[in-house]
């Protein structure tokens, strides 16, 4: 199982921004698509965004399109989720996960521990 570590969560006011990081430990992301998911207690997990490793294609949930941007560093060890124009409904625990292959359509078998994002005034 691949080890992933999220960071960058916190408390922000509505309309503010945060950047989440997902760092790979002991491996590079050349062969793995990376997805961001979010989940609140008692709610279903929601896919937020994904970046493929084959061609860098990106995907976004309709709820975050135009506000969130996923990217990957050149060393391919960290994936970022830039979150702008945050809303209270974006409050959740955010997880990154590695797919079993390069496509975002694959199964996500390796998960980080999660980072809390709270949007509140």
């Amino acid at each position: 199982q691949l080890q992933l570590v999220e960071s960058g969560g916190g408390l922000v006011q509505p309309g503010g921004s945060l950047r989440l990081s997902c760092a790979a430990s002991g491996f590079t992301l050349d062969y793995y698509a990376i997805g961001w998911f979010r989940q609140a207690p008692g709610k279903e997990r929601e896919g937020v965004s994904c970046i493929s490793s084959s061609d860098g294609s990106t995907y976004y949930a309709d709820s975050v399109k135009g506000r969130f941007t996923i990217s990957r560093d050149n060393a391919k060890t960290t994936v970022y989720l830039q979150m702008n124009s945050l809303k209270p409904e974006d409050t959740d625990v955010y997880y990154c996960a590695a797919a079993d292959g390069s496509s975002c359509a694959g199964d996500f078998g390796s998960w980080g521990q999660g980072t809390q994002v709270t949007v509140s005034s």
Side-chain angles (χ1 to χ4, degrees), residues 23-111:
S25 178
F27 68 100
T28 63
L29 303 175
D30 297 272
Y31 305 108
Y32 305 98
I34 298 295
W36 283 99
F37 300 80
R38 62 188 183 185
Q39 186 172 24
K43 293 186 178 180
E44 289 189 4
R45 186 173 62 203
E46 176 188 11
V48 175
S49 183
C50 184
I51 184 167
S52 74
S53 62
S54 56
D55 60 4
S57 296
T58 57
Y59 305 90
Y60 299 94
D62 288 342
S63 58
V64 305
K65 278 181 183 177
R67 300 189 297 123
F68 290 11
T69 303
I70 192 170
S71 62
R72 187 172 57 197
D73 71 349
N74 290 335
K76 298 183 179 179
T77 59
T78 304
V79 169
Y80 304 99
L81 186 68
Q82 178 67 43
M83 306 187 297
N84 299 328
S85 302
L86 283 162
K87 305 175 181 180
E89 51 263 43
D90 293 317
T91 296
D92 263 322
V93 179
Y94 284 70
Y95 300 88
C96 67
D100 295 337
S102 62
S103 170
C104 288
D107 293 328
F108 289 85
S110 299
W111 293 79

Side-chain angles (χ1 to χ4, degrees), residues 4-8 21-23 36 94-97 111-115:
L4 300 167
V5 180
E6 302 99 333
S7 61
S21 299
C22 174
W36 283 99
Y94 284 70
Y95 300 88
C96 67
W111 293 79
Q113 82 288 352
T115 185

Side-chain angles (χ1 to χ4, degrees), residues 9-13 18 87-88 90-92 94 116-120:
L11 173 64
V12 64
Q13 291 186 343
L18 284 174
K87 305 175 181 180
D90 293 317
T91 296
D92 263 322
Y94 284 70
Q116 176 71 47
V117 171
T118 302
V119 185
S120 175

